[in-house]
Amino acid sequence: MAKKHHLSAVVNGEPVEFLCEARQSLLEVLRDVLHLTGAKEGCNNGNCGACTVLLDGLPVNSCLVLAVEADGCRITTVEGLADATHLHPLQQCFLEDAALQCGVCTPGFLVAAKALLDKNPNPSEQEIRFELANNLCRCTGYDKIVRAVQHAAARLREART
Amino acid sequence: MATVYIPAALRELTEGVECVKVEASTVRQVIAALEARWPALQGRLRQQDELAAGLAVSIDGAISSRGLLARVGPESEVHFIPAIGGG
Amino acid sequence: MTASAKPAASSSAPQYKVLGTRPIRHDGTDKVTGRAIYAADLHLPGMAYGRVIRSPHAHARIRSIDFSAALALPGVLAVTSAADMPDLKNKFADLGEGRVNLAHLGANCLAQGKVLYRGHAVAAVAAVSPHVAEEAAKLVRIEYEPLPAVTWVLDAMKPNAPLLHDDVFTESMGQLSDKPSNVSRHIHFEQGDVQRGFAQADVVIEREYRTASVHQGYIEPHACTALWNQDGHVTIWTATQGSFSCRQQVAELLELPVSRVTVVPCEIGGGFGGKIPIYLEPVAVLLSRKCGRPVKLTMTRSDVFEGTGPTPGSFVRVKLGATRDGKLVAGEAWLAYDAGAFPGGMIGPGCMCVFSCYEIPHARVDGYDVCLNKPKTAAYRAPGATQAAFACESVIDELAERLNIDPIEFRLKNAAKEGTRRVDGPVYPRIGLVEVLEAARASEHWNTPLAGPWRGRGVAAGYWFNIGLKSSASASVNADGTVTLVEGSTDIGGTRTSVAMQLAETLGIAAEDVRPQVADTDSVGYTDVTGGSRVTFATGLAAYQVGLDIRRQMAERAALLWECDPALVRFEDGVFRTDGRSITFKELAAKLHATGGPVVGRAAVDPEGPTHGFGAHIVDVEVDPDTGKVTILRYTAVQDAGKAVHPSYVEGQMQGGTVQGIGWALNEEYWFDDRGQMRNASFLDYRMPTALDVPMIETIIVEVPNPDHPYGVRGVGETPIVPPPAALANAIYRATGVRLRELPMSPPRVWAALAAAGKSS
């Protein structure tokens, strides 16, 4: 077995160092090495979005990123959205709007939606649907997810003004 | 007397009779009465003292989970139907 | 929106404080922060990782399995195959939802002698890491003798078709055929005089319909961890719709007493029926017994497609006759559903649902359950009903058009109601189909004209039984006036909250003051699966009875305080009262220790279903004649919920079921090549709807209370998947003038149909 690689990254604002094999994906390392199991494996080939995390602010399917590629990067997972005492407005709106049923796709949607709102604070319904089309949900039919993102966007805009 | 409907697939064994009145207070007694009248029905509705596999009993529209032990009222309507589950 | 049914909306309609409100779900914070532990998230000290080796053939005899190279790989801890499973020939187990042939169940978990579909589990390995397990799996040498395969239901029924089992015979009401057959069951219903009925008809329409296999498509692949402890006790952490059903299936397969198996249900990432059967659990248990460590098994997405239950592919022929004034007089249906590799598919409910929305005096139904070389089918949301409704509701639409009657009016003229005799015999109690159709007719959607070329509006109705079955619950009163609820229904979609709300309503406290927990099989009484739209109905009933039990015990405490007869204590709006005195639930909760100790309520129920869920859907589409793509412009789902306990989650069930139905109708299908190999076992190629494929799904909740539940609950989860394919087919016809009778109505198929009719550009 090849030697493991020694990597460092900033995960949810905290500097971390870890060892990984060259063949391990970022998703595997987050879940199995760093024990951040919020990102889920739904397909392991980039089609469901349940493993979405932010890599230097951009949404990626962490199952398609090799962990060694993340050396020196900033990574945000669903665990990094809330602060110590408050949920992120997206999380709060997902709860208020019943935008989750089984909840397994929810971490990916929340992270993807954050990426969307970071670049576009006032997206249309169509823009939300387009940006979230990388994330599959089998329970909700997307209606309440789209509404929750709209509500969170409005709440974030209010907070800024 | 309870009204018992003969499943369509068994009516060739009951001379075409679709529905009979039966003196019975449990499903076991219902089946026993049917088997007494039409011996060819033996083994078709119950096997080894259980309702036949894949079969359920509907009494007055409600599907009982008690099988042969299910109670039948004097005015009850009894049907033998396929068992259903759900997703 | 919620529309109360007219007859029920009288002044006597009960006023609820908790039911009908929209509290935040109790498990919500854990699920939006990533803290909730799903089965694949579990990590135990010393855990080993397993990998299942699956058949590359659709049908083959297993000649030999050679583990030697795999066992020689460093880090490999254990291997297993069917040789390690007990022989269970001719043993059956009652799993609540029906009897199961244990030999078939076991052979589906680890193939016995033959593989019956590509993806069929044959052997498994456990190793120190997932990657070592994967390498070891490649080193297991399995020799096969390939056999001819069959994957279309009508082909499998032919006398010369490849035979899957030599011990499966055609069963017809307790009688078996002389020769083995792929057709494992024939169902026959008949009422009235069908010949006479059709003779009375002025219009008769007979059509044939085909549907492809589709998958439940839950986002979480199956996963479990099992530990065979040194004391012989087995613990399984798993993603299951029924922890007790899982416990029983594993115990029966491995010939263990149920008390030696504990199933700990993890959070579950969707199921829709597909996580009722077990697949990985007994394999993980066998591996754990051999290596003495907890063993985790997870499926890949292609394992899920190729190795777990899709819904039946089907062929359905429906013939309906009506008089000139629009009354249905006769019906005939012939249904063949594939069961997959082992008998016991969804044909029973298919036969019972095909005419379930209508009063048809003369009707006959024949149905066939057929084995073929696909994964064993599993329940999928209203299992068997969608295929049947696609056929029946399409013919109903053609009849309405031929008779020049509005399609909702035609359905209303013939709608099943209280007293209607179903073709399978039983008579409906109070049901809500008429109210649902009236709400659809009164909807803003139906009354908004749709204009434009290649556009059309379709409508369809749908039915699912909704079942009862067993549930247990207990609850203890805390000194601060809150209540801790323990129940056994694994929570797939927010049922902790819909159950807790019914306890809160019964106790006159806030939903937030109940803390619901889903317990393992050692910590709560037997509870049947989360399925059949039963949890809010049946486990909710258990919670209601727990509440009554607590009220009774609390009234005794109040009587003790007041030195009066407990029978004189009344409970109203969360307050215990007797002549001139009162104490709130919360105040009394603080005095329990001084009045005799803890109060724990308990209930175990086994209510009888069905509770009868009816829905009607309206859809507007636009068809692109150049590509055959169908775009949904607007969609409205109407459904009778009995009583919508948490309207947001009722709407969510309606919206989610609808979109699954849309996927089934327009895109999803298992693609098999001529060797019976599924060629699209990924989410890229098996195309489920994304957010971009669908519009908002408007919902209208109708409430015709279920007389057999204290709060009128009917259950809602399954019905909404039933109408979409027919509603879409009817809409496509109105848009193009072409009727599609095969699912999915994917762009190539729609384009080909338009081309054949000379309508494509």
Side-chain angles (χ1 to χ4, degrees), chain A residues 23 28 31 40-42 47 78 91 95 98 100-104 110 126 129 138-144, chain C residues 25 32 38 40-41 131 135 215-216 219 221 301 380 492 648 651-652 655-656 660 668 689 691 694 696-697:
Chain A
R23 62 185 172 184
E28 279 183 85
R31 290 176 55 82
K40 305 300 181 193
E41 181 188 314
N47 288 307
V78 71
Q91 294 170 310
L95 292 183
L100 58 144
Q101 286 178 32
C102 81
V104 84
L110 287 166
Q126 190 64 12
R129 289 187 179 279
R138 194 60 158 173
C139 294
T140 65
Y142 304 103
D143 183 303
K144 292 187 189 302
Chain C
R25 60 192 285 169
V32 296
Y38 293 76
D41 302 337
H131 291 285
E135 286 172 25
H215 197 272
Q216 295 82 352
I219 305 300
R301 178 53 54 183
Y380 178 23
I492 302 192
S648 295
E651 293 160 5
Q655 292 162 339
Q660 284 187 317
E668 295 176 34
V694 289
M696 294 296 188
I697 307 297

Side-chain angles (χ1 to χ4, degrees), chain C residues 332-357:
Chain C
E332 204 170 43
W334 191 97
L335 308 90
Y337 282 17
D338 77 51
F342 296 96
M346 314 304 153
I347 191 63
C351 292
M352 294 159 86
C353 287
V354 65
F355 293 143
S356 54
C357 289

Side-chain angles (χ1 to χ4, degrees), chain C residues 24-105:
Chain C
I24 286 179
R25 60 192 285 169
H26 298 80
D27 55 342
T29 300
D30 283 349
K31 285 184 174 159
V32 296
T33 54
R35 287 200 184 97
I37 299 297
Y38 293 76
D41 302 337
L42 190 82
H43 187 87
L44 295 178
M47 192 159 81
Y49 300 81
R51 187 89 190 100
V52 173
I53 299 120
R54 295 174 182 279
S55 166
H57 301 288
H59 194 188
R61 213 172 300 286
I62 303 170
R63 282 232 183 94
S64 64
I65 304 176
D66 177 2
F67 287 112
S68 54
L71 283 166
L73 186 73
V76 172
L77 300 168
V79 299
T80 193
S81 68
D84 294 328
M85 297 262 279
D87 182 8
L88 296 162
K89 231 176 173 45
N90 299 321
K91 279 190 73 178
F92 290 80
D94 186 352
L95 298 174
E97 288 202 308
R99 282 217 280 172
V100 168
N101 180 322
L102 289 170
H104 291 159
L105 182 65

Side-chain angles (χ1 to χ4, degrees), chain C residues 265-518:
Chain C
C266 299
E267 296 304 330
I268 169 172
F272 314 109
K275 288 177 184 164
I276 295 173
I278 57 167
Y279 298 97
L280 299 175
E281 290 86 351
V283 182
V285 172
L286 289 172
L287 290 168
S288 176
R289 183 173 60 181
K290 289 191 166 184
C291 69
R293 302 183 187 209
V295 175
K296 182 191 233 178
L297 279 177
T298 54
M299 288 195 194
T300 66
R301 178 53 54 183
S302 54
D303 290 347
V304 173
F305 277 118
E306 296 187 330
T308 71
T311 196
S314 74
F315 173 89
V316 180
R317 187 168 61 234
V318 164
K319 178 179 174 186
L320 284 171
T323 57
R324 210 165 286 113
D325 59 350
K327 281 300 279 182
L328 289 170
V329 285
E332 204 170 43
W334 191 97
L335 308 90
Y337 282 17
D338 77 51
F342 296 96
M346 314 304 153
I347 191 63
C351 292
M352 294 159 86
C353 287
V354 65
F355 293 143
S356 54
C357 289
Y358 302 104
E359 187 161 308
I360 307 175
H362 307 283
R364 179 191 298 141
V365 177
D366 284 282
Y368 299 87
D369 184 60
V370 184
C371 295
L372 42 58
N373 297 108
K374 293 183 188 175
K376 166 81 179 83
T377 57
Y380 178 23
R381 206 168 197 153
T386 303
Q387 296 95 325
F390 172 52
C392 179
E393 288 295 305
S394 295
V395 176
I396 289 281
D397 197 65
E398 281 198 54
L399 273 176
E401 191 205 15
R402 183 85 66 85
L403 293 165
N404 203 19
I405 301 175
D406 169 272
I408 293 184
E409 181 60 33
F410 183 64
R411 286 172 170 84
L412 270 167
K413 269 175 178 290
N414 295 288
K417 50 181 107 38
E418 185 170 3
T420 297
R421 184 172 297 285
R422 301 163 47 87
V423 64
D424 48 309
V427 171
Y428 279 121
R430 180 79 174 93
I431 54 174
L433 177 57
V434 168
E435 288 81 355
V436 162
L437 290 168
E438 283 171 347
R441 188 170 58 179
S443 68
E444 202 254 337
H445 186 171
W446 189 249
N447 291 287
T448 302
L450 174 67
W454 300 103
R455 289 181 166 193
R457 174 171 295 164
V459 62
Y463 166 82
W464 180 250
F465 300 94
N466 301 341
I467 58 176
L469 298 183
K470 294 169 274 296
S471 288
S472 307
S474 65
S476 35
V477 181
N478 300 310
D480 59 4
T482 64
V483 176
T484 307
L485 169 66
V486 179
E487 44 128 339
S489 292
T490 52
D491 183 352
I492 302 192
T495 53
R496 278 183 184 88
T497 298
S498 68
V499 171
M501 287 171 76
Q502 295 180 65
L503 177 59
E505 182 73 44
T506 312
L507 295 177
I509 61 178
E512 293 77 7
D513 286 340
V514 176
R515 184 171 169 72
Q517 309 259 29
V518 177

Side-chain angles (χ1 to χ4, degrees), chain C residues 85-174:
Chain C
M85 297 262 279
D87 182 8
L88 296 162
K89 231 176 173 45
N90 299 321
K91 279 190 73 178
F92 290 80
D94 186 352
L95 298 174
E97 288 202 308
R99 282 217 280 172
V100 168
N101 180 322
L102 289 170
H104 291 159
L105 182 65
N108 197 38
C109 293
L110 282 172
Q112 290 265 11
K114 280 212 305 187
V115 289
L116 299 170
Y117 53 94
R118 180 191 160 98
H120 196 160
V122 180
V125 298
V128 293
S129 83
H131 291 285
V132 175
E134 201 176 332
E135 286 172 25
K138 289 181 191 151
L139 296 174
V140 177
R141 289 198 192 91
I142 305 173
E143 271 190 79
Y144 296 97
E145 175 194 337
L147 300 168
V150 58
T151 57
W152 168 239
V153 62
L154 294 184
D155 293 339
M157 294 177 81
K158 289 176 183 161
N160 59 347
L163 187 69
L164 272 75
H165 303 272
D166 54 17
D167 62 346
V168 169
F169 299 80
T170 308
E171 188 266 349
S172 178
M173 279 307 294

Side-chain angles (χ1 to χ4, degrees), chain A residues 51-102:
Chain A
C51 65
T52 306
V53 301
L54 301 184
L55 195 64
D56 289 337
L58 293 176
V60 295
N61 291 312
S62 60
C63 69
L64 295 186
V65 177
L66 287 171
V68 292
E69 295 179 274
D71 193 22
C73 292
R74 279 180 303 114
I75 299 162
T76 304
T77 71
V78 71
E79 288 93 341
L81 295 188
D83 66 27
T85 51
H86 293 96
L87 293 176
H88 186 280
L90 274 164
Q91 294 170 310
Q92 189 61 34
C93 289
F94 265 57
L95 292 183
E96 291 173 12
D97 291 331
L100 58 144
Q101 286 178 32
C102 81

